[in-house]
């Protein structure tokens, strides 16, 4: 296609639209001139899209999220995309459609003929590049930080004036979190579930650890008192009894969801729950180890006393929740939970190697297997952020900082 280009800002041309370019026939010519409003137009940018995202863009199912001090991300309903600028060495002209109301004052008709009998179209901007979208993991560390500001505790249960209780307390509604956290709606809901957050009076809250401990201990006490099997707890009965003990029904039911699972049992009537071994055992281990290191033998003794009868206090359930260290012949244990670590790989590995300069694979795996980076496997992350050594073929691989 022969395309004749004329750009002389001092001369006035007819203002043709993009349709003229689209309809250019093979072996024909067209003149391109400056638009009356030619300029930088920083509010106009090119965005390159994958075909699968196009319907979301056209149907306005995407949002830009980020605070003024953050790089903006684009979120669909289920994914988060970083926005990258990619420059080009070629000149790219933006030609507005002829029916775009962008001109000021009188202007000639679109796609008129110039004096040399060539169609003239008008360039509004020369763009230096385009924006590309790269799928990234949701940035949920901020969610954890926000909700940790003000956990819900027993002291709020007795407060009758909720409006007064919520003033200047740093609480966050769903809309607040959408505005502040760079994640899609679906990813944000998943993050709230992972943190065991609950919506109270329109605000998303974490429960104070001591409050949860009180609820679980009271539930176990009432189970013994009322001969409730921990594998078949009747929801209505549990809610009624614990409400009489001073615990809100909504919070008690939330704890059943966090520490149990529903059981299909038509014979008992109503909804039935089974307390699950791992979350209950992990909870009591956290309570015992809170803020201190202990001899392993002493910890196991106290832990077994705390764990409800019928549940096994097996050390395997604490994978990803504790670390041990050797001091001579003595082994000490302390809390180190994967849930407290950053979700971004670079920050995660930095934190891990600050804790221990060298990790055996069986130790490291529970603290990295939840990392999800679109387009990069766990093996790829290990190659990028760690150095692997193996003294012999039979030896356990050792990972250190790269």
């Amino acid at each position: 296609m022969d395309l004749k280009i004329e750009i002389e800002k001092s001369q006035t041309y007819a203002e043709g639209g993009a349709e003229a370019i689209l309809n250019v026939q093979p072996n024909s010519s067209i003149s391109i001139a400056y638009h009356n409003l030619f300029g930088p137009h920083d509010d106009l940018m090119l965005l390159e899209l994958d075909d699968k995202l196009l319907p979301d863009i056209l149907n306005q199912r995407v949002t830009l999220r980020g605070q003024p001090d953050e790089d903006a991300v684009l979120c669909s309903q289920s994914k988060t995309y970083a926005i990258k600028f990619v420059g080009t060495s070629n000149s790219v002209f933006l030609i507005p459609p002829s029916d775009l109301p962008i001109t000021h004052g009188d202007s000639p008709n679109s796609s008129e003929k110039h004096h040399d009998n060539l169609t003239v179209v008008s360039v509004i901007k020369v763009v230096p590049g385009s924006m590309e979208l790269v799928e990234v993991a949701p940035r949920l560390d901020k969610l954890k930080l926000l909700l940790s500001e003000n956990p819900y505790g027993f002291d709020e249960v007795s407060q009758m004036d909720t409006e007064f209780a919520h003033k200047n307390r740093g609480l966050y509604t769903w809309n607040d979190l959408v505005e502040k956290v760079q994640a899609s709606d679906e990813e944000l809901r998943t993050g709230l579930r992972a943190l065991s957050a609950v919506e109270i009076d329109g605000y998303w809250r974490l429960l104070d650890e001591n409050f949860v401990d009180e609820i679980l201990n009271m539930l176990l006490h009432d189970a013994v008192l009322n001969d409730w099997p921990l594998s078949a707890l009747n929801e209505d009965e549990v809610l009624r009894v614990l409400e009489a003990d001073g615990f809100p029904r909504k919070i008690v039911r939330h704890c059943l969801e966090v520490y149990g699972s529903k059981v299909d049992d038509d014979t008992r009537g109503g909804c039935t729950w089974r307390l699950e071994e791992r979350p209950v055992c992990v909870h009591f281990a956290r309570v015992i180890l809170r803020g201190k290191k202990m001899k392993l033998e002493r910890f196991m003794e106290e832990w077994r006393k705390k764990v409800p009868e019928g549940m096994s206090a097996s050390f395997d359930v604490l994978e990803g929740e504790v670390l041990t260290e050797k001091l001579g012949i003595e082994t000490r244990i302390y809390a180190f939970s994967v849930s407290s670590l950053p979700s971004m790989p670079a920050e995660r590995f930095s934190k891990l190697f600050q804790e221990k300069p060298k990790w055996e694979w069986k130790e490291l795996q529970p603290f990295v297997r939840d990392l999800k980076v679109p387009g990069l496997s766990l093996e790829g992350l290990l190659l990028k952020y760690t150095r692997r050594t193996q003294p012999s073929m039979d030896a356990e691989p050792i990972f250190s900082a790269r």
Side-chain angles (χ1 to χ4, degrees):
M1 181 185 295
D2 178 20
L3 188 62
K4 180 182 177 183
I5 299 177
E6 297 181 12
I7 298 183
E8 299 181 18
K9 200 168 185 178
S10 59
Q11 191 169 356
T12 302
Y13 291 116
E15 295 177 0
E19 298 87 343
I21 289 285
L22 297 175
N23 294 325
V24 170
Q25 299 301 311
N27 301 318
S28 61
S29 298
I30 193 168
S31 292
I32 298 178
Y34 284 112
H35 194 284
N36 285 351
L37 298 180
F38 178 86
H41 294 288
D42 294 332
D43 57 333
L44 296 176
M45 293 182 289
L46 293 182
L47 177 63
E48 186 173 343
L49 290 175
D50 189 289
D51 287 343
K52 64 184 179 183
L53 255 180
L54 192 57
D56 286 333
I57 295 285
L58 296 178
N59 291 287
Q60 299 183 355
R61 293 195 297 259
V62 298
T63 56
L64 289 173
R65 293 180 182 174
Q67 297 297 297
D69 59 340
E70 298 172 327
D71 292 333
V73 297
L74 183 140
C75 293
S76 66
Q77 293 176 316
S78 61
K79 294 182 178 180
T80 301
Y81 298 87
I83 305 173
K84 308 289 186 182
F85 179 79
V86 179
T88 177
S89 58
N90 298 322
S91 295
V92 179
F93 299 146
L94 288 190
I95 300 171
S98 57
D99 58 353
L100 188 69
I102 195 169
T103 56
H104 295 163
D106 296 329
S107 60
N109 294 328
S110 299
S111 303
E112 286 187 359
K113 300 292 183 181
H114 183 46
H115 55 79
D116 57 1
N117 209 33
L118 294 175
T119 300
V120 179
V121 294
S122 302
V123 174
I124 193 72
K125 170 188 174 78
V126 178
V127 294
S130 62
M131 309 300 287
E132 289 185 355
L133 301 181
V134 180
E135 186 180 347
V136 294
R139 298 168 184 176
L140 294 173
D141 289 341
K142 190 174 183 180
L143 175 64
K144 187 185 340 181
L145 187 65
L146 292 172
L147 297 187
S148 297
E149 291 177 10
N150 187 22
Y152 184 85
F154 203 81
D155 58 331
E156 287 192 51
V157 174
S158 59
Q159 293 181 2
M160 303 299 293
D161 187 354
T162 55
E163 286 296 322
F164 175 78
H166 292 153
K167 279 184 179 178
N168 302 318
R169 296 292 299 274
L171 303 182
Y172 302 96
T173 64
W174 169 261
N175 289 336
D176 293 331
L177 296 176
V178 166
E179 180 183 343
K180 294 178 179 294
V181 179
Q182 292 181 306
S184 68
D185 288 1
E186 185 177 308
E187 291 166 331
L188 185 56
R189 291 188 185 96
T190 300
L192 289 169
R193 285 195 298 270
L195 291 171
S196 301
V198 57
E199 190 176 19
I200 303 172
D201 297 327
Y203 298 91
W204 282 93
R205 311 288 300 275
L206 298 183
L207 298 184
D208 179 77
E209 290 181 348
N210 292 324
F211 186 40
V212 173
D213 193 43
E214 288 185 54
I215 295 174
L216 273 181
N217 281 318
M218 185 59 70
L219 172 58
L220 295 172
H221 171 77
D222 287 335
V224 173
L225 199 63
N226 296 283
D227 198 25
W228 296 339
L230 298 184
S231 60
L233 296 169
N234 182 273
E235 179 182 302
D236 292 337
E237 191 173 0
V238 170
L239 296 184
R240 177 180 58 78
V241 172
L242 266 74
E243 186 177 32
D245 292 328
F247 299 98
R249 294 174 68 91
K250 183 182 182 72
I251 304 303
V252 175
R253 193 182 191 286
H254 174 70
C255 286
L256 288 175
E257 292 175 348
V258 172
Y259 295 97
S261 57
K262 283 187 179 181
V263 178
D264 294 328
D265 185 2
D266 297 331
T267 63
R268 297 179 62 87
C271 183
T272 305
W273 293 83
R274 175 182 62 245
L275 283 190
E276 295 294 344
E277 188 171 84
R278 187 181 190 281
V280 172
C281 290
V282 167
H283 167 80
F284 287 118
R286 287 175 175 173
V287 170
I288 295 169
L289 292 173
R290 193 175 296 162
K292 59 185 176 183
K293 295 182 179 180
M294 296 178 66
K295 291 182 181 179
L296 182 58
E297 295 81 2
R298 181 168 164 239
F299 163 75
M300 293 300 294
E301 184 181 345
E302 289 193 27
W303 190 36
R304 289 189 180 106
K305 290 178 182 177
K306 282 273 192 181
V307 170
E309 187 177 349
M311 293 188 180
S312 173
S314 169
F315 199 78
D316 293 341
V317 304
L318 298 182
E319 190 179 64
E321 294 292 337
V322 299
L323 285 177
T324 58
E325 62 181 13
K326 286 276 190 180
L327 295 173
I329 62 171
E330 185 177 281
T331 301
R332 289 183 174 268
I333 184 173
Y334 61 99
F336 188 78
S337 176
V338 64
S339 63
S340 67
L341 297 176
S343 62
M344 303 302 288
E347 297 171 17
R348 171 77 63 90
F349 282 102
S350 175
K351 189 77 172 176
L352 289 170
F353 290 123
Q354 285 175 20
E355 189 66 28
K356 290 179 62 175
K358 294 183 178 181
W359 293 74
E360 292 185 0
W361 174 237
K362 63 182 180 182
E363 287 183 306
L364 181 62
Q365 185 186 23
F367 295 98
V368 298
R369 63 188 173 199
D370 67 308
L371 287 174
K372 290 181 175 59
V373 177
L376 196 60
S377 65
L378 179 56
E379 290 75 15
L381 287 172
L382 291 172
L383 284 172
K384 184 174 182 179
Y385 294 105
T386 72
R387 189 182 305 278
R388 172 179 169 148
T389 57
Q390 195 168 5
S392 67
M393 291 295 293
D394 299 329
E396 182 81 14
I398 302 295
F399 294 86
S400 56
R402 180 170 286 281

